Amino acid sequence: MKIIVIGKSGQLAWELNQLSSSEHQIICLGRDNIDISDVSSANKILLQHQAEAVVNASAYTAVDKAESDVKKAYAINAKAVGTLALSCKMLSVPFVHISTDFVFHGDKGAPYLPDDDKRPLGVYGASKAEGERLITKCYPENSAIIRTSWAYSTHGNNFVKTMLNLMDSKPGLRIISDQIGSPTYAKGLAEACISGIENELNGIHHFTDSGVASWFDFAIAIQNLGLELGLLDKKIPIKPISTSEYPTPAKRPHYSVLDKSSLVKALPDISLIHWQEQLRNMMTTLKSEQP
Ligand SMILES: NC(=O)c1ccc[n+]([C@@H]2O[C@H](COP(=O)([O-])OP(=O)(O)OC[C@H]3O[C@@H](n4cnc5c(N)ncnc54)[C@H](OP(=O)(O)O)[C@@H]3O)[C@@H](O)[C@H]2O)c1
């Protein structure tokens, strides 16, 4: 099967590209290759590549910047997503799109179900929610939306790599301990996207690694593994702080754990792995890639 991935330089696109095999040819297209703001141009490129399925791994992901860059965030996370869904509909190919835990408010106090009310706190979440709405309106019959959270990979910018750099260069860190979610290795998310295509996944679902953590818990685990694997050579003090002690332009949900049961039911070949095990897998790969 020929699977076209929109987005080339991002974490998820990179992990999807690693899954190219004799069974599935995966072609990643960046903004130089396809203009996702224009239906006829997107159609032309998808036809040229003989797309048999499309995964949208592109997004405006700068959560804080989005607060002052509203037009661009909506252009990429909503309008272009609607364009891609329409293009997939015209070509009759399945469309898999990735969304976020940030569509939720964070005050539920229990894992969010796919159909729970969307009440985003910021522009990024609101623009992603609008992207979801456009897909559901335009192409419900052959599309899947997979929401995820706290994604990281050996490739690209993410919390794990930022922490390792800061732990190497700073005398101490203060990390938020009152935001709870689930870290997710993008490698597992990429596998879920491919399985979604193979199993004709439809509708809205959630995929994250299993278990829950605060950013503080996540940072402590990164430090411990970093020391064990030789990615760090010294331990620094890490202090838990509250969200109010670290103000950011965008508000973030305090609790955004996602209920994954619908996806687990729909994709029998996908098993959820605990975030601590996946963190070890990612950091072991990171270590092996060091010169
Ligand atoms: N990272 C997380 O913690 C997280 C959490 C929840 C959900 N998600 C969702 O998961 C998906 C994948 O995230 P990620 O972490 O892999 O994102 P990422 O590393 O930030 O990559 C996003 C990609 O989108 C591309 N892009 C942006 N605008 C584009 C445009 N107009 N045309 C084509 N490509 C464009 C970027 O290209 P350039 O590099 O050229 O700018 C980049 O390759 C996204 O939908 C995101 O919203 C991520």
Side-chain angles (χ1 to χ4, degrees), residues 207-220:
F207 178 88
T208 69
D209 289 333
S210 64
V212 301
S214 68
W215 292 109
F216 172 76
D217 299 330
F218 196 15
I220 294 286

Side-chain angles (χ1 to χ4, degrees), residues 6-14 29-32 34-37 56-62 72 75-77 80 97-102 124 128 146-152 155-158 184 186 189 215:
I6 309 297
K8 197 154 75 172
S9 50
Q11 306 190 81
L12 175 62
W14 190 84
L29 302 179
R31 55 182 94 205
D32 296 347
I34 185 165
D35 177 5
I36 53 174
S37 65
N56 182 25
S58 74
Y60 186 105
T61 53
K72 201 165 166 202
I76 298 165
N77 291 343
H97 174 72
I98 312 304
S99 192
T100 172
D101 56 330
F102 279 28
Y124 167 72
K128 294 287 291 185
I146 303 178
R147 295 195 191 113
T148 191
S149 65
W150 300 21
Y152 62 88
H155 177 92
N157 298 319
N158 54 64
T184 304
L189 175 62
W215 292 109

Side-chain angles (χ1 to χ4, degrees), residues 107-119:
D107 62 355
K108 184 181 174 190
Y112 280 95
L113 293 160
D115 287 339
D116 278 338
D117 282 350
K118 292 185 270 183
R119 269 194 304 138

